Amino acid sequence: MLASTSSSSSSSSSAAADMIKARTYDVFISFRGEDIRDGFVSHLHKDLCRKNINTFIDSEKLQRGDEISEALSTAIQGSRVSVIVFAKDYASSKWCLDELVKIMDCNKCVVPVFYGVDPSDVRKQRGNFADAFAKHEENFKHDVEKVKSWRTALTSAGNLSGWDSEKIRPDSTLVDKIVNDILKKLNRGTSRANLEGLVGIERRMQKVLSLFQDGFPDFQILGIWGMGGTGKTTLAEAIFHYVLNGFQSYFFLENVRESDDQGTLSQLRQTFFSTILEDEYLYISTPTIGLSFLKDRLSRKKVLVVCDDVSKLSQLEYLFGGNNRLGPGSRVIVTTRDKQVLIQYGIDLIYEMEELYDDESIKLFCQRAFKSNHPTEYHQLKLSQMVLSFANGNPLAIKVIGSSLRGKTQSYQESEAKKLKQVPKPDIQKLLKWSFDGLECGEKEMFLDIACFFKGEDRDFVARIMEACYLSAYSRIENLIDKSLICVSENKIKMHDLLLQMGWDIVYNESPLEPERRSRLWIPDDIYDVLIENSGTKTLKGMLLDMSRIPKLELKAEAFVKMRKLKFLKFYLPSTFGRVQMKSKILLPQGLLSLPNELRYLYWEGYPLKTLPTNFDHPPTSRAFITS
């Protein structure tokens, strides 16, 4: 910075300081010398302003004192990037050195420019810098720590990657490169303002960043895992922009699964490597990244990469080859709904997406539905509770439902909220259904069985029943857990209400108008109609009936003859239902002709007969579970 001895009035200095406090800057330029100001710095400042980059450059109106002024301190703190122009006389100014200490203490993005000086002279205080410090040490014998802090700041700044005027000529080219570099840096970074409206994101970011920073080797891969709609991509994107400044190159590989499905994964990989290696002519023609020169170039770069929405191990292997090809300090974030993808690739640093807290859910819903951060009327509070009991902390569901209710009448809002569990939102279902569509056939069947019949049941109990019906049931249950479609808490199988509704919707759409043609029945009225009309078909695989919700029912002897593929049959009464009424619910006045031989689980509370049909064949190998 120019060490001007010209004085200004106190009022002018104060006005200038107030002006600086009132605004923040994109770039702060630190330099010394009239010749630098009128030459190189003037061109740099002009080009930055031409790019609409808000740049602070010292005004001669700022009064010099013994310490760095409050105005300059404020300007440094409020700037996103600091450019330090190290010329031969820079270290002779104690004000410039004080600025430098402040800049380095702020830990902001710093761009050193070594203008006519050797970077090692700055780093080691040699040449002109040694002469300047000889004088400082003489003049500041009473303040050795100040001189020491100047040396430390120079060493730190000299160690940073910067621009050397001796290597890039002429000045116009140097200015162009510096301005482009600053533009890239300004386009990076996530500030608090950028996170506005992303409710709960900062809490999650802190947890992920703490995983990245503590006790792990220089090169790290982290997985973000969870069900659809929980905000995995949003979280990865926020972290990506937040930490960009510390990396040489960066790339956000978005929609990896979609690119694979569309056959464009090779183009995505090509763009990825061309970008991080800054090589527009790079071309990879082989399925694997086998060129040793390419590997060497990758291993020397500190890069940040996000692989978003990965669904298969093969996608990671195709994009990276191995998980150790990037340079020291590199970071890779992988988002997925399938935990096994992370485990198979050797990623053991995994963050499981959390549901929004209740206060976060209310805030997000109110922002979308009422343009406020909290309910301001009783109606709004009641509506929030209705919606959030359904969305259960899922950000996507809360946003979609909230937005659909904005600006509507109170009656409309309440009516829509009441039918949430009966009429699913297409936007939510489309996102969630991808997880189901990616399952194997047996896993799909098990998921629908759990959604319709076994949510909340003991895991071991469900596993035994599934094992009687499907091959490898135990491992398939693990797969459903890894794919975020079910979870286990206190050994009970749980399922998010959105996924539960998706499962019901899939079964309902098998035959919306003819329940007997669906694979599973759990709605009492549908089951009653099928049984009373004796219209069951071989497509039926399971039936779950709360007998307290139907009137007395007399079944014909051949009631189950047509249901040849029935595997699950449960007629039950809630524990609060009167035991006296129990036996009058379902009657078999003509007896029971048969039960399906495919039946693997039979629970019939108050079964009215003393024996099962004689032709019901259930050998030990079928492992049927029968309760009467």
Side-chain angles (χ1 to χ4, degrees), residues 266-312:
S266 59
Q267 291 96 306
L268 183 63
R269 183 179 69 166
Q270 187 71 38
T271 304
F272 165 50
F273 283 111
S274 295
T275 301
I276 65 172
L277 292 174
E278 301 176 81
D279 183 353
E280 61 181 306
Y281 300 108
L282 179 68
Y283 178 68
I284 305 172
S285 59
T286 58
T288 59
I289 309 164
L291 295 174
S292 59
F293 179 57
L294 176 58
K295 293 179 184 177
D296 290 343
R297 293 172 68 190
L298 287 172
S299 68
R300 292 193 291 265
K301 296 210 72 169
K302 180 183 177 183
V303 302
L304 173 68
V305 183
V306 170
C307 286
D308 179 51
D309 196 16
V310 175
S311 60
K312 300 175 185 175

Side-chain angles (χ1 to χ4, degrees), residues 352-370:
E352 182 177 359
M353 287 298 294
E354 302 173 64
E355 297 170 348
L356 291 178
Y357 293 162
D358 289 345
D359 59 332
E360 294 171 340
S361 295
I362 290 175
K363 181 178 180 180
L364 179 59
F365 175 72
C366 289
Q367 284 180 352
R368 293 293 174 137
F370 312 124

Side-chain angles (χ1 to χ4, degrees), residues 123-150:
R123 188 165 55 249
K124 299 178 181 179
Q125 291 95 64
R126 299 187 307 203
N128 290 69
F129 289 80
D131 296 339
F133 269 89
K135 294 179 181 179
H136 290 321
E137 287 172 344
E138 179 66 26
N139 294 332
F140 289 90
K141 291 180 180 179
H142 61 287
D143 196 352
V144 176
E145 289 302 315
K146 178 181 280 290
V147 177
K148 184 178 178 181
S149 69
W150 291 342

Side-chain angles (χ1 to χ4, degrees), residues 195 201-209 235 238-239 242:
L195 299 176
I201 200 71
E202 290 187 67
R203 170 175 63 85
R204 294 169 169 182
M205 283 177 64
Q206 289 173 3
K207 291 187 177 182
V208 174
L209 290 172
L235 175 60
I239 294 170
Y242 186 80

